[in-house]
Amino acid sequence: VTEAEFLALLRPLATHAAARGLMDDAAVLAISGVGDLVLTHDVLVEGVHFLPDDPPEDVAWKLLAVNLSDLAAKGATPVGVLLGYPLSDADWDAAFVRGLGKALAQFNVALLGGDTVTGPRVLSLTAIGRAIIAPSRIGALAGDALWVTGMIGRAGLGLLGDPDHLDAYRRPTPRLTEGQTLGPIVHAMMDVSDGLLIDARRMADASGLAVEIDLDAVPVAGERMAAVTAGDDYELLFALPADIEPPVAATRIGSFATGSGLTLRDESGPVTLPDRLGWQHGI
Amino acid sequence: VTEAEFLALLRPLATHAAARGLMDDAAVLAISGVGDLVLTHDVLVEGVHFLPDDPPEDVAWKLLAVNLSDLAAKGATPVGVLLGYPLSDADWDAAFVRGLGKALAQFNVALLGGDTVTGPRVLSLTAIGRAIIAPSRIGALAGDALWVTGMIGRAGLGLLGDPDHLDAYRRPTPRLTEGQTLGPIVHAMMDVSDGLLIDARRMADASGLAVEIDLDAVPVAGERMAAVTAGDDYELLFALPADIEPPVAATRIGSFATGSGLTLRDESGPVTLPDRLGWQHGI
């Protein structure tokens, strides 16, 4: 079945408030007197999310980074990770552990446990973080401005082999510090994992609103429409009241209004939506 | 590389106390004023941990049960789970979700989130639980008695096709209530996932002690030596001071002493160790 159909099957099982109806980037478990515990789980499959000849160090980095990006989107500080790992040949395993060690040190996160198995190269990671109060993606209000950190489209160019942007694809940097700063003040926040357009529409859908993006405002690398539909940027997308400037480096790219759906414009006026808004996968 | 070699590579990355040196069944994160948060992550691979023609409902049950058994071993009450799932055909997916729903309801656990992917049938689950204080497997003391819940060897018979014990193999029952009762009073506890003998020796090794098991005392299904080296029973193995009777149904099967290693005896005297003590896999 498709992901959407599967989620529809699963949703009745997600009875806990922490599941947020399986609509958010992460589960958020409120612990009385302590704050929010944020939990996320992402899986990378060889041949799907990475290539057989990608350096194992980079696979380890990406496995960690995509999960930490989900924590960043919830304003969380990472605590630790659990690893699900298929034992492989000695060189691959050693290189993977080297890369994982570097990435864990880079983001000040510890390995807490996990499981090793025999089987195909499917790697799973669960990341746990703590937040004072974790924003969701459903809280945008009509009149809010839409903002994004960093530059969009770099990872997409890296995926196509552009040597200037290979690192953005292979070793994305989760916006942890920005997320922690923004967490308590945003109305809604998520990371841009599947493409700016599809993710902005998801935030609008989840919030029950329409969103309009000014394509001229979006800081892009490469061709404009390719950039806003490429994924893997792991920048933060967030909604703030129109009169508030965010306390982190970010660009205002649009606004929310009553209604539904995504519309695009530039200085010439309305821009037709592309057929494909981004990638569709993942809970 | 082997699991032991891989763990040796990983151990320097497990710098957080919650990792327990990657020696325990689960990670245990102490939260000030709240208690212990217990986190475990297990992966099931088609063709390794289950067969392609096993009913998907049973695969779902087992995926949940093996993780909840790790929580039981730490005396934890389950809070929720995150699922990593490869989308499949409609029948398999629907049957899996049905089975998962039944199992979650049976153990009063909620689905909190996860990830869906395209790829081979490798399923991952992370379970989160809470405990007042989670016992480890390293705390046995010389003079302690070794106890086990339930009957050993049923799952092994089920794996071989014995219809009377198929359910023990396919739908094991994690000893959650027993674990919660025992958690605050045991010196050490773990679940019997890889075989009674290998798991008892692991507890002794982790505690820096020798352990002796009286084979006549072990409640077994089927042939004695087959039972104590078969895995997947998911009973609880625990160490208690010799003068304390456990407050749950369990059988005293041995004792800890200074020294190292596992020895076996029965009413005739010492029994030679079998070449194979159980399964070796998993962190």
Side-chain angles (χ1 to χ4, degrees):
Chain A
V1 306
T2 68
E3 187 221 343
E5 290 164 347
F6 190 70
L7 286 183
L9 292 174
L10 280 183
R11 209 155 270 129
L13 314 185
T15 51
H16 197 294
R20 294 186 161 186
L22 302 182
M23 304 274 282
D24 214 329
D25 298 285
V28 179
L29 191 63
I31 299 187
S32 177
V34 171
D36 283 340
L37 196 78
V38 182
L39 298 141
T40 181
H41 180 65
D42 277 314
V43 180
L44 296 188
V45 179
E46 186 175 80
V48 178
H49 304 94
F50 63 94
L51 300 174
D53 59 354
D54 280 351
E57 294 90 337
D58 290 350
V59 175
W61 181 286
K62 193 160 188 175
L63 180 65
L64 182 65
V66 299
N67 277 284
L68 295 188
S69 183
D70 287 329
L71 295 189
K74 300 300 106 188
T77 303
V79 172
V81 301
L82 304 176
L83 171 70
Y85 186 82
L87 294 171
S88 178
D89 65 88
D91 287 348
W92 215 93
D93 288 346
F96 178 86
V97 173
R98 267 199 312 277
L100 185 64
K102 278 184 199 166
L104 288 168
Q106 174 75 30
F107 301 115
N108 194 27
V109 190
L111 178 69
L112 301 185
D115 193 16
T116 58
V117 293
T118 303
R121 203 168 274 153
V122 175
L123 299 98
S124 55
L125 195 104
T126 302
I128 305 105
R130 291 172 70 162
I132 305 300
I133 181 161
S136 77
R137 64 166 70 173
I138 72 167
L141 297 178
D144 280 354
L146 178 69
W147 296 77
V148 72
T149 59
M151 183 172 281
I152 294 297
R154 293 190 61 226
L157 294 176
L159 174 62
L160 296 176
D162 184 329
D164 290 343
H165 298 287
L166 205 56
D167 255 26
Y169 174 66
R170 290 199 171 160
R171 297 183 173 242
T173 300
R175 293 284 190 182
L176 286 163
T177 308
E178 292 86 345
Q180 289 154 26
T181 303
L182 291 166
I185 61 168
V186 296
H187 282 169
M189 187 155 65
M190 64 190 296
D191 68 337
V192 184
S193 54
D194 291 339
L196 180 70
L197 298 193
I198 197 165
D199 286 329
R201 198 181 70 181
R202 285 172 179 160
M203 184 182 283
D205 287 349
S207 301
L209 294 174
V211 64
E212 182 176 67
I213 290 177
D214 175 3
L215 289 176
D216 291 329
V218 181
V220 292
E223 194 272 314
R224 183 173 82 171
M225 203 55 88
V228 296
T229 56
D232 293 325
D233 282 314
Y234 302 104
E235 297 294 346
L236 293 178
L237 190 66
F238 56 96
L240 270 184
D243 58 350
I244 294 186
E245 288 283 321
V248 305
T251 308
R252 183 173 176 154
I253 60 168
S255 57
F256 291 92
T258 54
S260 68
L262 165 70
T263 52
L264 303 178
R265 65 178 167 85
D266 63 11
E267 59 174 359
S268 316
V271 175
T272 306
L273 283 184
D275 290 337
R276 184 187 155 281
L277 298 182
W279 301 97
Q280 307 218 30
H281 59 75
I283 287 180
Chain B
V1 306
T2 68
E3 187 223 345
E5 290 164 346
F6 190 70
L7 286 182
L9 293 174
L10 281 183
R11 209 155 270 130
L13 314 185
T15 52
H16 197 295
R20 296 187 161 184
L22 304 181
M23 304 274 282
D24 214 329
D25 297 284
V28 179
L29 191 63
I31 299 187
S32 177
V34 171
D36 283 338
L37 196 79
V38 182
L39 298 141
T40 182
H41 179 64
D42 277 313
V43 180
L44 296 188
V45 179
E46 186 175 80
V48 178
H49 303 94
F50 63 94
L51 300 173
D53 59 354
D54 280 351
E57 293 91 337
D58 290 349
V59 176
W61 180 285
K62 192 159 188 176
L63 180 64
L64 182 65
V66 297
N67 277 283
L68 295 188
S69 182
D70 286 330
L71 295 188
K74 301 299 106 187
T77 303
V79 172
V81 301
L82 304 175
L83 171 69
Y85 186 81
L87 294 171
S88 179
D89 64 88
D91 287 347
W92 214 93
D93 289 345
F96 178 87
V97 172
R98 268 200 311 277
L100 185 65
K102 279 184 200 165
L104 288 168
Q106 173 74 31
F107 301 115
N108 194 26
V109 189
L111 178 69
L112 300 186
D115 193 18
T116 59
V117 293
T118 305
R121 203 168 274 156
V122 175
L123 300 98
S124 54
L125 196 104
T126 302
I128 305 104
R130 291 170 71 162
I132 306 299
I133 181 161
S136 78
R137 64 164 72 170
I138 73 167
L141 298 177
D144 279 355
L146 179 68
W147 296 76
V148 72
T149 59
M151 183 172 280
I152 294 297
R154 292 191 61 225
L157 293 176
L159 174 62
L160 295 176
D162 183 330
D164 290 343
H165 299 287
L166 205 56
D167 256 24
Y169 173 66
R170 289 200 171 158
R171 295 183 174 242
T173 301
R175 293 283 189 183
L176 286 162
T177 308
E178 292 85 345
Q180 291 154 24
T181 304
L182 291 167
I185 62 167
V186 296
H187 283 169
M189 187 155 65
M190 64 190 294
D191 67 338
V192 183
S193 54
D194 291 338
L196 180 69
L197 297 193
I198 197 165
D199 286 331
R201 197 180 72 178
R202 284 171 179 160
M203 184 182 283
D205 288 349
S207 301
L209 294 174
V211 65
E212 183 178 65
I213 291 178
D214 176 2
L215 289 176
D216 290 329
V218 181
V220 293
E223 194 272 314
R224 182 173 82 171
M225 202 55 88
V228 295
T229 57
D232 294 324
D233 282 313
Y234 301 105
E235 298 294 346
L236 293 178
L237 190 66
F238 56 97
L240 271 184
D243 58 348
I244 296 185
E245 287 283 321
V248 305
T251 308
R252 183 172 175 156
I253 60 168
S255 58
F256 292 93
T258 54
S260 67
L262 166 69
T263 52
L264 304 179
R265 65 177 166 84
D266 63 12
E267 59 174 0
S268 317
V271 175
T272 306
L273 284 182
D275 290 338
R276 184 187 155 282
L277 299 182
W279 302 96
Q280 305 219 28
H281 59 75
I283 289 182

